[in-house]
Amino acid sequence: MFFARNRLDAGFVQKTLFLLMVVGLSLLAFKLIGIWLLVFGAVVVATVLRATAEPLVKYLKLKDNWAVLLALLFLVSFLAASGWLFGSEIVRQTNNLSRELPEAWAQLQERLRASEAGATVLDQINNLGQQASGVLSLVPKIAGEIASSIANLVVVVVAGIFMAMHPRSYRDGVVRLFPKSQKERVRDGLNLSGKALRLWLLGQLFSMVLVGSLTAIGLSIAGVPSAGALGLMSGLAQFVPIVGPVVSAGPGLLLAASENMTTFVAALVIYVGVSQLESNIITPMVQKHVAAVPTVITLFAVLGFGSLLGPLGVLFATPLTVVAHTLVMKFYVGEVLGDHGAEAEVSGEAET
C-alpha cells in the first residue's frame, strides 16, 4: 500500500510538472509572438527571392546561392530603375498630396457648413477629433516604433536571403522536430504551404500593379490632383485585402470632393470599378491555382492579427491566413474528415 501510494504520488507529480512545462512554454511562445511574426516575414522574403531565382536554377543551371544573389540584384536594380524613371514625379506628387489634403479638407468643411445636415456631420467629426487629440502626445513613441520597424525590416530581409539560399535545410530542420512516422506528412505540408504562399504573392503582385496603374490612369482622366501618388497608394494597399483598398480610397475621394461633385462621382466610380475588376477577375484567376480563402475569414484575420500584433499583424495577416488555411484543408479537412476533394484543392489537383 505504501509503495503503491508512492508510485501514485510520483505519477501525479510527473503529470503536474509536465502540464506546468507545457503551460510555461505556451506562455513563452505567446510572449515571443513578435519574433515568430518576424520569422514569418523572413519566410515571405525568401519565397519572393526563390520565385525569382528558380528560373535561373532551372534554365541556367546555377547553384542556389548564386541564383538567389542574382535574383536579389535583379530586384534591387528593378526598384532602382523604377525610382530613377518615376521617382522624382512620384515624390513631387506625394509632396503635392501632403499639401493638398489639408486644403481639400478645409474646402470640404466650408461646404458642409453651408447646410444644416452638413454642419451636424462636421460637428460630430470635430468631436471625434477632439477626443483623439491625445494622439499628439504619442508622437515620440510612434517615431520610436518606426525606427524599430526599420531595424526589424533589415533583420527580416537578411534572414530571408539566407533562407532563400538554403530552403531545404531550414525545412528539414523543422521536420526533424517531429516523430519519424510524421516526418513525410510534415514535409508535404510545408512544401504545400510554400507553394500556396508563392502563388498568393505572385497573384498579389499582379493585382497591386494592375490596380495601381488603372487607378492612377482613371483619376488622371477624371482630373483628380496627384493621380500618380494616389495610384501608388492604392497599389500598395492591395497587399492588405479588403481593408487596404477602402482606406487608400479616402485621400483620393477627399481631393475629388474638393474639386466638384462631378469629379467626386467620377473618382468614386473609378475606385469601385477597379475594386470590382480586381475581385471578380484577378482574384478568381489566382484562386484557380491556390485554395480560396473565404472573404469573411480574411476580414476577421486582418482585424484579429491587427488587434493582437499591431501594424505588422495587419501586414502579414493575409499570408498567414493563406498558410493556415492550406494546412487546415490538408491535414484536418482532407485527412481527418476524409474530404479528399479539399486535399486535392490545396494541392492544385482539383478540377477547374
Side-chain angles (χ1 to χ4, degrees), residues 49 52-53 56 60 62 64-77:
L49 289 175
T52 310
L56 301 176
L60 300 182
L62 294 177
D64 286 344
N65 292 0
W66 289 107
V68 169
L69 289 176
L70 283 178
L72 180 63
L73 180 62
F74 169 77
L75 292 175
V76 171
S77 301

Side-chain angles (χ1 to χ4, degrees), residues 251-263:
L253 293 176
L254 178 59
L255 284 179
S258 68
E259 296 291 318
N260 51 63
M261 185 54 64
T262 302
T263 305

Side-chain angles (χ1 to χ4, degrees), residues 12-328:
F12 177 76
V13 169
Q14 289 176 354
K15 291 179 181 178
T16 302
L17 290 176
F18 178 76
L19 180 60
L20 290 174
M21 183 183 69
V22 171
V23 172
L25 290 176
S26 300
L27 291 174
L28 179 62
F30 182 78
K31 287 289 185 181
L32 297 176
I33 193 167
I35 299 297
W36 302 126
L37 193 60
L38 294 180
V39 171
F40 183 77
V43 172
V44 172
V45 172
T47 302
V48 173
L49 289 175
R50 287 299 305 183
T52 310
E54 280 182 1
L56 301 176
V57 175
K58 182 177 180 181
Y59 296 109
L60 300 182
K61 308 301 180 182
L62 294 177
K63 293 184 178 180
D64 286 344
N65 292 0
W66 289 107
V68 169
L69 289 176
L70 283 178
L72 180 63
L73 180 62
F74 169 77
L75 292 175
V76 171
S77 301
F78 175 77
L79 293 176
S82 300
W84 181 73
L85 291 173
F86 308 107
S88 59
E89 178 63 20
I90 292 297
V91 169
R92 184 185 66 81
Q93 291 198 19
T94 302
N95 291 333
N96 291 340
L97 185 62
S98 64
R99 184 181 64 256
E100 291 164 350
L101 282 176
E103 297 175 357
W105 172 236
Q107 293 178 19
L108 183 60
Q109 285 180 302
E110 293 179 2
R111 293 182 181 179
L112 288 175
R113 289 193 187 98
S115 64
E116 183 177 350
T120 302
V121 172
L122 185 59
D123 289 339
Q124 295 297 325
I125 294 175
N126 289 333
N127 289 335
L128 290 175
Q130 292 175 359
Q131 294 175 7
S133 59
V135 173
L136 294 176
S137 62
L138 300 178
V139 170
K141 182 179 179 181
I142 294 174
E145 291 290 338
I146 293 174
S148 176
S149 298
I150 294 174
N152 290 335
L153 178 62
V154 173
V155 172
V156 165
V157 171
V158 173
I161 293 172
F162 283 107
M163 283 186 179
M165 289 181 175
H166 307 285
R168 295 178 184 83
S169 61
Y170 291 101
R171 180 201 62 192
D172 294 341
V174 175
V175 171
R176 288 193 187 97
L177 300 176
F178 292 84
K180 186 175 181 179
S181 59
Q182 301 297 320
K183 289 184 185 298
E184 196 59 35
R185 292 177 67 249
V186 173
R187 184 180 287 106
D188 290 342
L190 293 176
N191 289 339
L192 192 59
S193 299
K195 176 183 176 183
L197 182 60
R198 181 179 61 190
L199 291 174
W200 180 83
L201 287 170
L202 290 174
Q204 284 303 110
L205 177 61
F206 180 66
S207 173
M208 291 166 68
V209 173
L210 183 61
V211 168
S213 301
L214 291 178
T215 302
I217 294 171
L219 293 179
S220 178
I221 294 174
V224 179
S226 303
L230 293 170
L232 177 64
M233 187 184 301
S234 295
L236 294 176
Q238 283 297 123
F239 193 80
V240 182
I242 304 173
V243 177
V246 173
V247 173
S248 67
L253 293 176
L254 178 59
L255 284 179
S258 68
E259 296 291 318
N260 51 63
M261 185 54 64
T262 302
T263 305
F264 174 78
V265 173
L268 181 61
V269 169
I270 289 167
Y271 276 113
V272 173
V274 173
S275 176
Q276 290 300 310
L277 176 68
E278 189 276 332
S279 60
N280 292 308
I281 296 179
I282 301 173
T283 298
M285 287 172 56
V286 175
Q287 291 176 352
K288 289 181 179 180
H289 305 286
V290 61
V293 180
T295 303
V296 173
I297 293 179
T298 302
L299 175 60
F300 281 106
V302 171
L303 296 177
F305 282 113
S307 300
L308 183 63
L309 302 170
L312 279 179
V314 174
L315 184 64
F316 292 122
T318 308
L320 277 169
T321 305
V322 169
V323 172
H325 181 263
T326 301
L327 295 176
V328 169

